[in-house]
Amino acid sequence: MNINAKNLLDEILKRAKQKGALTSELEDRLKANFEDIFIYFHRLYPYRNDLWEHLEDMVKVLINSYQSRSSKLRSLDAHREQNPSWFTDNSLVGMMLYVDRFAGDLKGLQDKMPYLEELGINMLHLMPILKCPEDHNDGGYAVSDYRKINPEIGTMDEVSTLAEQLHNKDMLIMMDFVLNHTSDEHEWAQKAKAGDTKYQAYYHTFDDRAVPDWYEETLPQVFPDTSPGNFTHSPEMNKWVMTVFNSYQWDLNYSNPEVFIEMCDALLFLSNQGIDILRLDALAFMWKKTGTTSQNLEEAHLLIKALKSCMKVSAPATIFLAEAIVAPDEIVKYFGSVKNEVSDECDLCYNATLMVLLWEAISTKNNKLLWVTLNNIPGKPIGTSWLNYVRCHDDIGLGYEDDHARMAGSDPKSHRRFLIDFLTGKIDWSFARGRTFMEDKAKGDARISGSLASLAGLEKALSENDPEQVDLAVKKILMLHGIVLSYGGIPMLYAGDELGTLNDYSFENDPSKSADNRWMHRPKMDWQLAEKRKTKRTHEYQIFQGLKKMIQTRAESPEFADKGNTYLFDCHNQHLLAFSRILDNSKTLVVCNLNDHPEVITDQIPNYMHFDPSKAVYDKISGKNLNFKSGGLELKPYEILWITQ
Ligand code: OTU
């Protein structure tokens, strides 16, 4: 440990010992991690003559959080420290849901647990449930109090009880931590509005437009339609405040160490409620710098590293999920580097690259861009894991690299235009029923809203009363899920998709939602529709039961664990996507047909996979033996096979 860090820590430890606030476990963890925290603070907050005081405050927060952690959670800490990559096996399958839209409130959610368990879900992502403004709250992503639950949904005690109940069933709970901004109703924002300069310094506030204008030269806009510009004038303060997302979401100023310490305290508070995974929302935006896009800056990574080191001291059982929906090369950077099997940033990242490229592949019916991209982006460190998904509550941004599109033989701009037109059903042969979100007409760019089922063709097929197309849409939905369930990483389903829920256009009649069409894919759960999962021949039955089967099969397939063992497989056919999953003696080749016509894979595949030629090869999903006739095996349109022996 460097001499300064050591002196400071010795001093802090001495005082803590006098107060009887130290256990040997905590002391060991502080000794192991304090130097890193010290270094990150020095890099983030150089030249501050009060830096040591802040470091001391930081350690106080760590000690207090540790002390208020329950003994059950402390033993979970010890257990997971022994098995650092505990989340990389093949057992987990998550579902993300809005508690209110899914079940009314936290009590209602308890009643719906059997439904989730029936499907095989063992990890719940409760979408934002912290206190937020009543009307304009960005689906809860504008937090007014990090320690209180929205009263209509329940209480913090109910959350910790739920966490305990889930743990008793070997299930996990995940919550959002919206750390880039607070709502303008948060106590800090209220105090800032009232003129308190301490709290004005918690945000990026400016007396005039000089610096904001300078920022605007390079800052992109996240919600240009609903919230143009990146600054909002606050009449109460008579100042401009940075609001990169909506005007009521005030960006926190992390160049102020007090903000970091307060937010870290809130993070540890949530983790002490028994939260296993904290989803760090919009973390790429945490540090701002004029002359840059203020995304993915080195300091943002340092902030995450510092937060992670703090977790390692006070709550090592809790892991981080990065919500960095950024360029493929940038996403993997949020995994940081892994030392002693533990990441120094995020343990999990959303696999936005795979998600976007699956929609691209479904639209083009070929694997070219997916193939080029996956072969040209850096891998992630072993010991970390992807969070794989097909749909979520947000829009789909067509964020592939332009160079990858060129390498795949497309002009990036016109390809994007094609995808937008295809996914919004503007092309007459398209099956998709999405809508553009935040369209930039000048650039010809847009993001896409729409539910999985509507984007995959179910809405169109049902409205046209076309059973053949309904069947194909169901196959597409199952195939996309079949990919994320076998790819390597934790699969996360989006509530409603297990029944093929269509777009919900009722948001248009709600003034607090109508300007944001992401609400079209955030419907209330229709429990009557859910009953149809029990009726054969309905598409709800086919999707739900098909998914359930795949989830069960995944749980029995150790090779589906994420141990750096996903290998892309060249089938010499651009309509087929294939990858192999191998772990010790367990082997599966996942092959799927992106085309609406049958495609053939060659009989060489059993040899490439080194299957035993004397034994039959079969599909794990259907259980059927696979016969390679006349040199090949035909895959039906949108068929997925988990080929094994
Ligand atoms: C996140 O997403 C949340 O998932 C959104 O629901 C929120 O609106 C937003 O943050 C603000 O809290 O802009 O359209 O990668 O794309 O972080 C989604 C950058 C979003 C953003 C992403 C953000």
Side-chain angles (χ1 to χ4, degrees):
M1 197 179 290
N2 86 48
I3 185 82
N4 284 342
K6 192 178 178 314
N7 290 350
L8 180 57
L9 184 62
D10 284 348
E11 192 57 36
I12 298 171
L13 291 178
K14 201 166 81 195
R15 263 178 265 149
K17 265 187 200 150
Q18 280 161 2
K19 283 197 208 144
L22 272 188
T23 64
S24 62
E25 181 183 55
L26 180 60
E27 189 173 343
D28 288 350
R29 290 206 201 121
L30 274 168
K31 284 186 175 153
N33 294 289
F34 181 74
E35 185 177 13
D36 286 342
I37 298 172
F38 185 91
I39 290 170
Y40 300 140
F41 266 55
H42 265 275
R43 292 199 54 199
L44 288 161
Y45 311 113
Y47 316 120
R48 288 192 67 122
N49 58 12
D50 57 356
L51 188 65
W52 280 40
E53 286 156 41
H54 289 305
L55 277 161
E56 253 195 273
D57 289 347
M58 184 72 256
V59 177
K60 274 186 208 150
V61 162
L62 298 180
I63 295 176
N64 289 342
S65 302
Y66 174 82
Q67 284 181 321
S68 37
R69 197 159 170 82
S70 72
S71 56
K72 268 199 183 157
L73 290 176
R74 284 195 202 172
S75 46
L76 193 62
D77 288 334
H79 179 71
R80 289 185 180 163
E81 274 184 315
Q82 293 303 309
N83 178 19
S85 48
W86 56 269
F87 50 88
T88 58
D89 71 16
N90 54 309
S91 65
L92 293 173
V93 178
M95 178 175 276
M96 56 190 294
L97 53 87
Y98 289 94
V99 177
D100 55 340
R101 302 179 85 74
F102 187 76
D105 55 18
L106 284 163
K107 285 198 187 77
L109 183 59
Q110 299 276 3
D111 302 338
K112 301 300 180 197
M113 286 309 296
Y115 173 82
L116 297 169
E117 289 173 69
E118 179 187 334
L119 185 59
I121 301 298
N122 52 15
M123 169 174 153
L124 287 190
H125 172 195
L126 307 185
M127 300 292 291
I129 49 173
L130 294 177
K131 196 169 167 247
C132 62
E134 212 159 287
D135 270 346
H136 294 283
N137 56 40
D138 190 20
Y141 285 98
V143 175
S144 303
D145 191 331
Y146 290 92
R147 289 175 169 78
K148 286 207 177 81
I149 302 295
N150 180 356
E152 278 154 31
I153 290 177
T155 63
M156 199 52 92
D157 279 347
E158 283 173 349
V159 170
S160 31
T161 309
L162 176 67
E164 210 175 313
Q165 287 167 345
L166 291 176
H167 287 163
N168 289 341
K169 293 182 184 180
D170 268 338
M171 293 169 84
L172 302 183
I173 179 166
M174 164 162 143
M175 264 175 77
D176 289 83
F177 191 62
V178 186
L179 75 181
N180 176 65
H181 42 261
T182 73
S183 93
D184 63 348
E185 291 184 12
H186 190 285
E187 190 192 349
W188 304 334
Q190 305 273 22
K191 286 186 175 161
K193 284 186 204 171
D196 189 333
T197 50
K198 171 179 156 85
Y199 290 98
Q200 287 179 356
Y202 272 41
Y203 300 96
H204 300 270
T205 54
F206 305 94
D207 292 333
D208 56 36
R209 287 285 318 182
V211 178
D213 285 345
W214 185 13
Y215 267 113
E216 289 290 12
E217 285 172 22
T218 51
L219 273 183
Q221 300 198 28
V222 182
F223 298 138
D225 291 354
T226 45
S227 185
N230 288 289
F231 295 85
T232 301
H233 186 257
S234 156
E236 296 93 339
M237 292 193 287
N238 192 24
K239 279 180 192 282
W240 291 88
V241 57
M242 186 181 254
T243 54
V244 168
F245 291 86
N246 287 296
S247 54
Y248 51 83
Q249 288 165 307
W250 288 20
D251 286 69
L252 284 163
N253 178 7
Y254 280 96
S255 70
N256 177 352
E258 285 174 47
V259 170
F260 179 88
I261 296 167
E262 292 253 31
M263 290 300 281
C264 184
D265 196 9
L267 186 79
L268 288 166
F269 172 82
L270 283 177
S271 127
N272 279 353
Q273 309 310 309
I275 308 302
D276 300 285
I277 305 172
L278 284 162
R279 171 193 182 275
L280 304 184
D281 180 64
L283 77 176
F285 294 71
M286 283 172 78
W287 195 269
K288 329 285 176 182
K289 206 182 269 178
T290 50
T292 73
T293 58
S294 296
Q295 285 182 38
N296 305 314
L297 295 180
E298 192 193 343
E299 289 87 344
H301 286 280
L302 287 172
L303 287 167
I304 304 302
K305 285 183 200 290
L307 283 177
K308 182 66 178 177
S309 297
C310 292
M311 296 305 283
K312 285 186 201 165
V313 173
S314 304
T318 303
I319 58 171
F320 286 162
L321 163 64
E323 195 261 341
I325 314 303
V326 293
D329 279 358
E330 293 294 339
I331 296 178
V332 285
K333 294 185 187 162
Y334 290 91
F335 284 117
S337 52
V338 172
K339 273 181 254 148
N340 302 327
E341 290 185 66
V342 183
S343 160
D344 64 357
E345 286 195 38
C346 294
D347 313 275
L348 303 166
C349 288
Y350 278 104
N351 198 347
T353 309
L354 180 69
M355 180 278 292
V356 170
L357 291 170
L358 286 178
W359 286 108
E360 192 272 348
I362 274 284
S363 308
T364 58
K365 305 185 174 67
N366 78 56
N367 68 22
K368 282 196 285 184
L369 186 53
L370 184 61
W371 182 264
V372 168
T373 304
L374 294 180
N375 275 306
N376 285 283
I377 56 174
K380 65 174 176 59
I382 292 174
T384 60
S385 198
W386 287 116
L387 195 127
N388 292 315
Y389 64 118
V390 187
R391 277 305 280 126
C392 71
H393 70 298
D394 276 335
D395 49 289
I396 305 171
L398 303 172
Y400 54 79
E401 296 282 7
D402 286 1
D403 277 350
H404 294 157
R406 289 186 195 103
M407 285 160 82
S410 305
D411 169 62
K413 202 171 161 190
S414 48
H415 194 58
R416 231 170 238 121
R417 194 65 248 170
F418 161 75
L419 292 172
I420 294 165
D421 289 345
F422 184 87
L423 291 168
T424 57
K426 286 200 190 79
I427 298 176
D428 55 5
W429 45 269
S430 160
F431 48 72
R433 285 291 174 269
R435 281 195 188 169
T436 54
F437 177 70
M438 302 291 155
E439 187 161 12
D440 181 340
K441 289 220 166 78
K443 272 201 201 153
D445 204 356
R447 284 127 74 185
I448 306 292
S449 282
S451 78
L452 166 58
S454 290
L455 289 171
L458 190 59
E459 182 172 331
K460 179 170 188 260
L462 289 171
S463 72
E464 290 171 359
N465 232 330
D466 184 337
E468 215 173 291
Q469 289 300 321
V470 169
D471 184 53
L472 287 180
V474 168
K475 290 216 167 74
K476 258 174 262 168
I477 294 169
L478 288 173
M479 179 182 83
L480 289 167
H481 278 128
I483 296 169
V484 297
L485 281 162
S486 58
Y487 185 77
I490 303 176
M492 176 68 84
L493 313 186
Y494 183 48
D497 286 348
E498 76 285 7
L499 298 166
T501 306
L502 304 179
N503 287 340
D504 169 13
Y505 299 103
S506 67
F507 78 99
E508 290 174 330
N509 307 320
D510 179 341
S512 69
K513 299 191 169 72
S514 56
D516 185 343
N517 69 19
R518 287 178 298 172
W519 286 100
M520 72 197 254
H521 53 258
R522 299 171 180 176
K524 276 202 174 141
M525 178 72 176
D526 182 341
W527 287 103
Q528 241 168 326
L529 188 88
E531 281 303 298
K532 289 202 192 165
R533 74 186 186 281
K534 299 171 187 158
T535 312
K536 280 194 181 153
R537 282 187 291 275
T538 63
H539 63 261
E540 290 84 0
Y541 173 91
Q542 287 165 352
I543 298 173
F544 189 97
Q545 304 303 339
L547 261 174
K548 183 176 164 180
K549 178 77 202 345
M550 287 194 286
I551 291 172
Q552 277 169 353
T553 310
R554 169 187 159 81
E556 292 155 8
S557 308
E559 69 275 27
F560 287 170
D562 189 10
K563 305 284 179 196
N565 55 335
T566 303
Y567 311 100
L568 274 185
F569 200 94
D570 190 356
C571 294
H572 304 290
N573 178 335
Q574 63 180 35
H575 301 295
L576 297 175
L577 171 68
F579 48 90
S580 65
R581 304 301 324 277
I582 300 172
L583 193 70
D584 304 326
N585 294 324
S586 310
K587 290 185 225 172
T588 292
L589 177 70
V590 176
V591 189
C592 60
N593 180 4
L594 303 166
N595 206 352
D596 53 3
H597 294 291
E599 294 291 338
V600 173
I601 53 174
T602 83
D603 64 350
Q604 289 309 305
I605 276 168
N607 303 340
Y608 295 145
M609 287 294 289
H610 300 290
F611 285 139
D612 178 348
S614 67
K615 283 199 212 145
V617 170
Y618 69 96
D619 168 31
K620 273 194 169 189
I621 304 173
S622 63
K624 285 190 188 129
N625 278 355
L626 299 171
N627 298 314
F628 287 81
K629 286 181 200 142
S630 330
L633 173 75
E634 193 180 87
L635 265 81
K636 294 189 211 79
Y638 306 117
E639 187 171 22
I640 180 162
L641 299 173
W642 288 352
I643 305 176
T644 194
Q645 201 164 40

